Amino acid sequence: MGRIVDLMSQPGNLRYAIAKGFEPAVRGFLWQLVRLRRPRFLFLGRGIKFVSAYNLRLGAHVAIGGYSYIETSAKTPVIFGDNVTLREHAWVQCRSGLNPKGDGLELQRGVYIGPNAVIGVSGKIVIKAGCQIGAGVSFSAESHEFLDGSYTTGATARKGITVGENCWFGNNVTVLDGVEIGAGSVVGAGSVVTKPLPAGCVAVGAPARIIRYTGAHQTEEPV
């Protein structure tokens, strides 16, 4: 208790705590109250736009940063598990206009995703428990098909994306459709992941290639 009192007595700390904790908690409480949901310590930043929130399932202690766009009209419920953090200016889209709905999104317990994330849900996206993902990540669970001599016909394929438990991504990582990343892997900043990665690997570059292993979950030799 003494430590908390000491911190709050320092200039600016109280205002910071109110802006980052109290105000988002009040917004979260009111958001749940209006929608007749049981309060579960939800923290919401300013200016968030929800679309199809009826299909969003929230665990306890979820935090969504300000000025995010959360569109959740998927075929299956969109799930943010306990202690999930989605930072400011996130963009989540499960449907584009009246095109077919996406297959769903699941952010499991303790997932952290930094600011300016882009999550395009066509195929299902699953990010498993404990993943820590830097700012500017892009997940695109759809690929345009080459048809009649062009990629602009609107023909698409949807395979989905899965990220295993306790993975770590640097800033500005892009993950393309059909990718599965094994548990405990590390993906370096600015990498573009175009194909599956085994558990426990360290991958960097565009396209991402394995440079070594962390020692946990190792299944293959680096290439």
Side-chain angles (χ1 to χ4, degrees):
M1 180 61 71
R3 171 66 171 163
I4 294 174
V5 171
D6 182 58
L7 285 172
M8 291 302 100
S9 68
Q10 296 177 24
N13 280 3
L14 180 58
R15 286 195 297 270
Y16 179 85
I18 291 171
K20 296 293 286 186
F22 180 73
E23 290 181 3
V26 171
R27 289 191 202 96
F29 176 79
L30 294 175
W31 187 90
Q32 293 170 104
L33 185 66
V34 167
R35 290 163 178 80
L36 303 178
R37 298 193 182 196
R38 178 167 63 91
R40 303 198 69 188
F41 294 101
L42 173 64
F43 299 87
L44 298 179
R46 296 175 182 267
I48 300 171
K49 173 67 172 178
F50 290 96
V51 178
S52 301
Y54 66 86
N55 201 41
L56 178 60
R57 307 289 186 268
L58 297 171
H61 303 99
V62 169
I64 302 175
Y67 307 102
S68 294
Y69 175 77
I70 311 295
E71 187 275 296
T72 54
S73 54
K75 295 177 183 176
T76 60
V78 171
I79 299 170
F80 290 10
D82 292 347
N83 302 307
V84 162
T85 297
L86 186 62
R87 289 288 302 275
E88 294 79 8
H89 298 279
W91 183 85
V92 176
Q93 180 170 289
C94 296
R95 189 181 194 186
S96 177
L98 295 179
N99 290 321
K101 295 180 178 182
D103 291 336
L105 170 65
E106 182 178 355
L107 306 180
Q108 294 185 0
R109 181 181 180 88
V111 166
Y112 172 92
I113 299 178
N116 300 306
V118 175
I119 303 177
V121 180
S122 292
K124 187 164 187 176
I125 297 177
V126 178
I127 302 177
K128 295 187 178 180
C131 289
Q132 303 288 296
I133 296 173
V137 71
S138 176
F139 292 98
S140 181
E142 181 177 83
S143 60
H144 286 258
E145 300 285 89
F146 189 73
L147 183 66
D148 297 330
S150 175
Y151 283 101
T152 63
T153 62
T156 60
R158 299 177 170 189
K159 298 177 182 177
I161 294 169
T162 300
V163 180
E165 294 179 352
N166 299 314
C167 288
W168 186 93
F169 290 12
N171 290 346
N172 300 311
V173 169
T174 297
V175 183
L176 300 184
D177 191 36
V179 165
E180 181 172 355
I181 299 174
S185 290
V186 173
V187 181
S191 297
V192 180
V193 186
T194 61
K195 61 183 181 180
L197 296 174
C201 73
V202 178
V204 299
R209 66 180 187 87
I210 299 167
I211 58 170
R212 62 185 179 87
Y213 285 87
T214 63
H217 311 289
Q218 182 169 345
T219 57
E220 301 178 11
E221 293 297 321
V223 295

